[in-house]
Amino acid sequence: MLKVNDWNWTDLPEVTSTNDEALILSHQEKEGKYVVSAEMQNAGRGRRGRSWLGIKGNLFMSLLLQCPLEKLGDVVFIISLSLFDALKKMFPQIPLQLKWPNDILLNGHKISGILLEKGENDYLIIGIGVNVKAAPKSENLLYTVDSLADCGFITDRISLLKAYLQAFDENLALWNEQGFEVIRKRWLENAKGLNAPIEVHGVKENKNGIFRDIDETGALVLETADGVEKIYAGDIFYL
Ligand code: BTN
């Protein structure tokens, strides 16, 4: 295993999903921080049962972090904010925004995805995919998508992986020292659609309202015609 800061890193040529590799690793390890990346995924998973296409040159990685369940709500925001920070550090002028719960938008188009799964030994599996070289070209996509390269932001998956781990460690330290509020505030400052109308596609139903806030648990605060509601899971669309 290679080392990046205190992360133990393995890079593989081809896997089904880096989350699968991380799950296997979580059975073997009892402590420490791990990251598994791959050049290619042939059965990548997206959120809510969707698939995630493998395109060579894009970043596919999964982090293993021991995280108490009650802290998960905070960590979700650290994960996406760190990708935002890593990309901003590499390309200070890049027009990025955050989309609840954990997407990054470039010029309003999705360039990354994050899939959280449960590992063994209290490990959280943090699966991250970034369209570094190319975006999938399918008609069945839920959102418009793009890639860093297609927008003129040229990097490679390994440089981004290293920049990400650095940003993630810095945000973890900030959170340990100052708590969730500073993370929540920075996330909201860079969020798309705050105080604007959105539609939330939930598990059972869709809801329309104004995106007012993220609460201290990470839930989206939606002001609807029937009052203020908290949304814990779903896909949002800007109206
Ligand atoms: C989404 O639907 O937006 C989440 C996509 C998550 C994709 C990443 S790629 C690395 C890791 N392995 C997977 O199979 N999925 C995640």
Side-chain angles (χ1 to χ4, degrees), residues 86-131:
L87 288 166
K88 276 275 180 197
K89 197 160 184 190
M90 296 173 100
F91 309 107
Q93 305 304 326
I94 192 170
L96 293 181
Q97 284 176 304
L98 291 159
K99 175 170 185 273
W100 187 89
N102 45 27
D103 283 347
I104 307 280
L105 305 177
L106 171 54
N107 291 323
H109 307 303
K110 179 172 161 102
I111 56 155
S112 67
I114 290 168
L115 177 68
L116 303 179
E117 292 179 336
K118 200 184 158 321
E120 274 303 302
N121 293 317
D122 294 326
Y123 275 111
L124 171 67
I125 301 173
I126 305 167
I128 303 177
V130 184
N131 298 340

Side-chain angles (χ1 to χ4, degrees), residues 192-206:
K192 178 170 174 176
L194 193 62
N195 296 316
I198 58 168
E199 184 164 287
V200 184
H201 291 196
V203 183
K204 290 198 193 116
E205 53 181 347
N206 298 347

